[in-house]
Amino acid sequence: MALITRNLPRILNQFQAVQSATPRLLHTTIINNTEAEVSDRPDSRRVCTLIPGDGVGPELVYSVQEVFKAGGVPVDFESYFFSEVNPTLSAPLDTVSKSISKNRVCLKGILATPDYSHTGELQTLNMKLRNALDLYANVVHVKSLPGVRSRHQNIDCVIIREQTEGEYSALEHESVKGVVECLKIVTAAKSQRIAKFAFDYATKNGRKKVTAVHKANIMKLGDGLFLRSCEEMAKLYPKIEFERMIVDNCTMQMVSKPQQFDVMVTPNLYGNIVDNLASGLVGGAGVVAGASYSAECVVFEPGARHTFSEAVGKNVANPTAMMLCSAKLLHHINLPAYGNMIRNAVDKVLKDGKVRTKDIGGQSNTKEFTYAVINNLVPV
Amino acid sequence: MLVAYDKAYSTSEISPFVTVAHNLPKMTARILSKNYLQLGNALRNASTLSAFEIQHKTPLVKKQNPIPVALYGGRHAVTMLPGSGIGPELMTYVKNVFRYAGAPVDFQIVDIDPKSDDKKELEYAITSIKRNGVAIKGNIETKSENTEVQSRNVAIRNELDLFVNVLHCKSFPGVPARQSNIDIMIIRQNTEGEYAMLEHESVHGVIESMKVVTQSNSERVARWAFDYARRNGRKKVTTIHKANIMKLSDGLFLETSRAIAKEYPDIEHNDMIIDNCCMQLVSKPHQFDVMIMTNLYGSIVSNVVCGLIGGAGLLCGKNYGDHYAIFEPGTRNTGTAIAGKNIANPVAMLNASKTQSCERFATTTSERKISAGKIRVRKSSRRLSITCCKPTSDPERTDTYA
């Protein structure tokens, strides 16, 4: 009896804990993917998490939804407003990450990150989401689009970026007044993982070369470890050429001779820079699609991280990137026919060149572009 | 054993430890085993020995360094070795079934030409399996009888240290066979024993073939079997041996499994001599549950049981090491047309049983679809031919990967 009375509060507590499990899980990094049952997943239609994001995100996502509706794509969206600049309206991180780990796929706009922190917390919402889901590999496929005029033609490179450690570890402190230290973390396990991802990506997609981008001449230990991990992994892929390039040289080569690159594997910050640089070469933030992979789930998001908040509500943003993202998403969830349908329609509209948004030298607005794509859909 | 090893390979660095070891028996094992592994690593990195020789001359040294699994966004990469004979044809069916069922698997196909003795392709295949962790494989013929050319199947198993071969022999509904309701798990040591491939002619006309049994490998197999039995609610483990004749080698295998059995008091353990075992299998197969045995006996017993429940084409074999898994037709012969279903079977199991990753429901659903489809094929048509595999797969096209 005494035992029961002693343990009663604990038992009750546990019961409460079960009920309030959702808030308790907030900010934990380990995701339990086994929770969602088979019965949660319909057989005929796929559910996909949708995060419109900040800036023009909601408008672009609306375009994609219109196209999906018109094309009869069997995908339902589970939409969450998720934002760092608008914290009161934002859905909790836990809810969103749970939804993504249940659905396994997500279509996401860009989240704006303020330059200062309200709470003194160093991690941005983007970083929290990546850590929560362990979205370690960011893949941006930079490819010249037909009918989009730019400085270079025939660019086709894939930039693979580690995005859970490195400079983005959010470890900064002021050791003495006026002296701030920012820690860059490089681990062998994560470096190997991203290197292997890059080589596996190259193998799967029939690519010939992997370039490791680094700055090991200065950061001999940190970037050195990254480079060594890549070299080690390269030995397992005898059919894929491996080369290394220092990041400053890489950016120069990128703007002068971008055709030489095939697959590039980079640590966090360099990847971010090279991504945006390369996107600029083929037509800007509005046309490049990307995706972030974890072992279990994928988040499809535009490749260049730009919210275009100047254009909110003006109906001028280019939905191409978001549409290409959605096409890739459909390929990933085994609906390649629908994916090709959307991709071909976008290609056709761009190639015809009659309907173009302002960023790629046209006069049309977002809506007109969306309807042009819908008109070019060839039903499956 | 350890001391002998150290004598053979000792360097100045190691010998002081040996003397220390004599004084402190408890530390002996720890230090020696540590150095032992380091020695193995040093050998592997520095020596001119081939990987195959290292495996055989230092059988206790684990050669593999684990690397990350190829699983991205829920899709697996899997190496496919179509092999020879009807292998390639069957692999197309596998790919079709996977596409229809929407299984999240990307195949990397590596062809090995059975006629050439070139080792390059084989090496690439092994590298590819190391990268992906999992492979599906048809049987690769080794035509050459030249002693220099080793069997490719054996080479793959040795290189990847796939120490255990598992064959789940379960009667299928709708398949007429001599015995019904059989459910036996055959677990076979896969890398040593009679397959050590150490043969020589000591005097003209006298050939000696060595059968190697090591305690560590026997232990690994036994432990694997008992763990399996416990996980899957099996009741009994039977060790098959010939320790009455080969008192030392098979004796070691038997003793090791007995020792391991003591750690699993909830599972019954007994042993049986191989010749008796074969007789019992054909007359009273239901007495067996999980069986463990050395390499050659495993080959014989698995073929016997396959014959009992309906032929070579039905069962799938699974080869496991610490890091890798290979799935192949159970009886390892170049199959007949019937093997079409057989091949789909191991691949279906592949995702679910992938050792390093946790259970994921996406793959298990598609697996269920595949196996459900197969059973439908079996039940609906008495003649088990490949042609009926396709139509039944077609309706599944609508069931996209959930």
Side-chain angles (χ1 to χ4, degrees):
Chain A
M1 193 60 210
L3 192 76
I4 294 175
T5 31
R6 223 181 309 139
N7 282 327
L8 197 63
R10 200 190 303 161
I11 294 166
L12 283 176
N13 263 342
Q14 271 179 355
F15 182 65
Q16 272 183 340
V18 170
Q19 284 199 317
S20 60
T22 321
R24 271 165 56 96
L25 279 173
L26 204 70
H27 302 308
T28 52
T29 51
I30 296 161
I31 280 297
N32 190 355
N33 271 324
T34 51
E35 272 173 18
E37 288 299 316
V38 178
S39 54
D40 288 353
R41 301 154 62 77
D43 240 8
S44 49
R45 286 180 80 82
R46 279 299 300 266
V47 183
C48 160
T49 308
L50 180 72
I51 302 172
D54 296 310
V56 291
E59 297 169 35
L60 304 181
V61 162
Y62 177 73
S63 297
V64 169
Q65 280 174 309
E66 287 287 292
V67 173
F68 272 32
K69 222 191 291 171
V73 179
V75 169
D76 295 323
F77 287 112
E78 208 173 279
S79 183
Y80 289 98
F81 183 76
F82 195 54
S83 167
E84 188 169 10
V85 288
N86 214 337
T88 42
L89 292 178
S90 171
L93 171 71
D94 185 48
T95 318
V96 175
S97 63
K98 227 179 199 163
S99 160
I100 297 176
S101 62
K102 183 186 74 170
N103 294 329
R104 305 299 173 102
V105 279
C106 171
L107 186 64
K108 172 175 164 291
I110 300 301
L111 303 183
T113 43
D115 292 339
Y116 58 90
S117 168
H118 291 288
T119 55
E121 201 175 11
L122 294 171
Q123 277 205 321
T124 67
L125 199 58
N126 251 327
M127 278 146 77
K128 281 183 204 156
L129 183 69
R130 281 174 210 159
N131 287 335
L133 293 166
D134 194 25
L135 294 164
Y136 65 92
N138 183 252
V139 180
V140 177
H141 189 180
V142 179
K143 193 163 192 272
S144 302
L145 287 164
V148 177
R149 253 174 297 140
S150 54
R151 287 189 193 281
H152 293 281
Q153 299 304 318
N154 298 325
I155 301 177
D156 184 5
C157 70
V158 178
I159 300 153
I160 293 171
R161 160 191 175 198
E162 201 319 308
Q163 56 174 7
T164 54
E165 57 168 17
E167 298 84 353
Y168 286 52
S169 308
L171 294 169
E172 292 184 289
H173 57 260
E174 192 167 19
S175 44
V176 188
K177 185 156 164 49
V179 180
V180 175
E181 290 177 345
C182 168
L183 299 185
K184 165 172 169 170
I185 310 288
V186 181
T187 60
K190 286 194 171 177
S191 304
Q192 279 172 6
R193 185 167 72 162
I194 195 71
K196 181 144 190 291
F197 182 95
F199 281 103
D200 277 338
Y201 184 93
T203 313
K204 187 187 157 193
N205 294 286
R207 299 260 171 177
K208 298 279 173 299
K209 189 169 79 173
V210 172
T211 310
V213 180
H214 65 97
K215 188 73 187 169
N217 55 340
I218 305 297
M219 281 163 278
K220 293 190 200 300
L221 291 180
D223 279 20
L225 178 60
F226 175 80
L227 188 59
R228 271 205 313 283
S229 306
C230 291
E231 280 167 357
E232 212 173 276
M233 222 29 100
K235 283 184 201 143
L236 284 175
Y237 297 81
K239 296 201 174 162
I240 292 168
E241 193 190 335
F242 174 71
E243 66 170 30
R244 60 217 84 184
M245 195 176 273
I246 295 175
V247 60
D248 38 8
N249 182 27
C250 171
T251 45
M252 183 177 72
Q253 297 288 332
M254 198 60 159
V255 290
S256 56
K257 239 183 91 195
Q259 292 84 1
Q260 67 180 292
F261 293 107
D262 195 345
V263 175
M264 302 160 83
V265 54
T266 72
N268 209 334
L269 183 64
Y270 311 152
N272 185 253
I273 295 167
V274 176
D275 273 353
N276 279 271
L277 179 66
S279 305
L281 294 179
V282 296
V287 296
V288 181
S292 295
Y293 287 82
S294 76
E296 296 292 348
C297 35
V298 197
V299 173
F300 292 87
E301 57 194 330
R305 305 290 157 80
H306 189 51
T307 53
F308 203 15
S309 52
E310 312 85 282
V312 175
K314 289 189 182 143
N315 197 20
V316 293
N318 188 347
T320 308
M322 210 50 131
M323 285 180 188
L324 294 182
C325 279
S326 70
K328 285 190 178 202
L329 182 147
L330 293 173
H331 269 283
H332 183 79
I333 58 176
N334 211 37
L335 297 169
Y338 290 100
N340 286 335
M341 175 179 80
I342 292 177
R343 165 122 227 165
N344 292 341
V346 172
D347 275 352
K348 181 138 195 304
V349 172
L350 289 173
K351 205 179 243 167
D352 290 349
K354 285 188 186 135
V355 184
R356 272 185 189 161
T357 48
K358 278 187 182 143
D359 60 328
I360 47 175
Q363 290 299 319
S364 312
N365 58 32
T366 311
K367 220 169 225 170
E368 284 161 356
F369 186 86
T370 309
Y371 290 145
V373 171
I374 288 173
N375 286 334
N376 281 294
L377 287 178
V378 181
V380 204
Chain B
M1 174 85 203
L2 285 175
V3 176
Y5 182 87
D6 269 323
K7 269 182 193 156
Y9 287 98
S10 76
T11 63
S12 55
E13 273 177 77
I14 288 162
S15 49
F17 284 118
V18 178
T19 44
V20 172
H22 282 299
N23 305 331
L24 300 163
K26 250 204 161 175
M27 268 176 72
T28 320
R30 212 184 311 148
I31 292 173
L32 267 183
S33 61
K34 218 175 194 177
N35 268 298
Y36 192 63
L37 285 178
Q38 278 168 6
L39 185 66
N41 282 332
L43 257 182
R44 189 189 323 154
N45 294 335
S47 76
T48 50
L49 293 176
S50 77
F52 175 77
E53 281 174 310
I54 291 172
Q55 171 72 30
H56 280 265
K57 293 186 178 165
T58 61
L60 297 187
V61 176
K62 311 278 183 296
K63 305 182 303 152
Q64 271 82 31
N65 299 320
I67 55 170
V69 190
L71 166 66
Y72 307 118
R75 289 190 80 86
H76 301 260
V78 170
T79 304
M80 182 185 259
L81 307 174
S84 43
I86 51 157
E89 180 196 337
L90 296 177
M91 289 301 182
T92 22
Y93 293 116
V94 171
K95 278 186 276 181
N96 281 342
V97 170
F98 266 53
R99 208 182 57 237
Y100 288 141
V105 170
D106 298 310
F107 288 113
Q108 270 174 31
I109 300 169
V110 182
D111 280 314
I112 297 179
D113 182 10
K115 286 182 198 84
S116 81
D117 292 344
D118 191 14
K119 276 190 82 174
K120 247 191 190 155
E121 281 165 342
L122 182 71
E123 269 163 22
Y124 185 69
I126 289 168
T127 316
S128 172
I129 297 171
K130 281 185 181 166
R131 290 172 342 203
N132 295 328
V134 186
I136 174 166
K137 161 175 166 303
N139 206 350
I140 306 161
E141 275 177 300
T142 311
K143 288 264 170 66
S144 168
E145 281 181 17
N146 183 349
T147 47
E148 294 297 306
V149 181
Q150 54 165 320
S151 156
R152 292 185 171 98
N153 294 313
V154 177
I156 289 176
R157 267 178 259 152
N158 281 334
E159 284 284 325
L160 297 173
D161 192 25
L162 300 170
F163 63 89
V164 65
N165 175 265
V166 182
L167 196 65
H168 188 185
C169 305
K170 196 166 189 297
S171 299
F172 288 99
V175 178
R178 295 202 183 273
Q179 300 275 2
S180 55
N181 291 327
I182 293 183
D183 187 2
I184 303 175
M185 201 74 196
I186 299 174
I187 294 171
R188 156 185 181 192
Q189 210 295 328
N190 212 12
T191 50
E192 53 177 22
E194 300 82 356
Y195 287 48
M197 296 193 294
L198 298 171
E199 292 183 296
H200 56 258
E201 190 166 23
S202 43
V203 188
H204 184 72
V206 179
I207 302 230
E208 291 175 346
S209 165
M210 267 190 256
K211 166 171 173 172
V212 179
V213 177
T214 63
Q215 190 180 4
S216 94
N217 274 335
S218 311
E219 202 177 304
R220 281 206 284 178
V221 173
R223 204 171 285 286
W224 204 97
F226 279 102
D227 278 340
Y228 177 87
R230 185 175 272 176
R231 271 204 315 276
N232 294 280
R234 298 273 182 159
K235 298 280 177 299
K236 193 169 82 172
V237 173
T238 312
T239 305
I240 309 299
H241 61 93
K242 189 77 185 170
N244 55 339
I245 304 298
M246 281 164 276
K247 291 187 202 298
L248 287 180
S249 58
D250 277 22
L252 177 63
F253 188 78
L254 180 60
E255 280 312 309
T256 317
S257 63
R258 277 186 185 148
I260 300 288
K262 290 213 178 80
E263 296 174 28
Y264 298 80
D266 48 328
I267 293 159
E268 195 190 332
H269 177 250
N270 64 352
D271 58 274
M272 194 176 275
I273 293 172
I274 174 73
D275 36 10
N276 181 25
C277 167
C278 287
M279 185 177 69
Q280 295 290 333
L281 268 176
V282 289
S283 57
K284 256 176 69 191
H286 299 102
Q287 65 181 295
F288 295 104
D289 195 350
V290 177
M291 304 165 84
I292 51 176
M293 59 203 78
T294 54
N295 214 335
L296 183 64
Y297 308 151
S299 173
I300 296 166
V301 168
S302 51
N303 276 270
V304 170
V305 181
C306 281
L308 285 181
I309 66 172
L314 286 170
L315 294 174
C316 73
K318 293 165 268 181
N319 300 290
Y320 293 106
D322 285 336
H323 306 296
Y324 312 114
I326 292 187
F327 299 81
E328 61 183 347
T331 49
R332 290 179 179 166
N333 27 26
T334 40
T336 52
I338 216 167
K341 263 124 259 145
N342 158 36
I343 291 274
N345 200 346
V347 194
M349 281 177 205
L350 165 157
N351 295 311
S353 51
K354 203 173 166 188
T355 44
Q356 287 180 344
S357 46
C358 55
E359 282 281 315
R360 67 192 62 76
F361 58 85
T363 42
T364 37
T365 29
S366 37
E367 179 207 349
R368 250 177 251 148
K369 274 179 208 153
I370 293 172
S371 44
K374 262 188 312 123
I375 289 166
R376 234 180 296 142
V377 176
R378 295 226 171 79
K379 280 188 174 156
S380 58
S381 66
R382 283 289 154 83
R383 29 183 279 293
L384 300 163
S385 67
I386 284 173
T387 41
C388 63
C389 181
K390 277 174 108 179
T392 33
S393 305
D394 271 331
E396 294 191 345
R397 187 175 196 164
T398 46
D399 307 346
T400 46
Y401 145 48

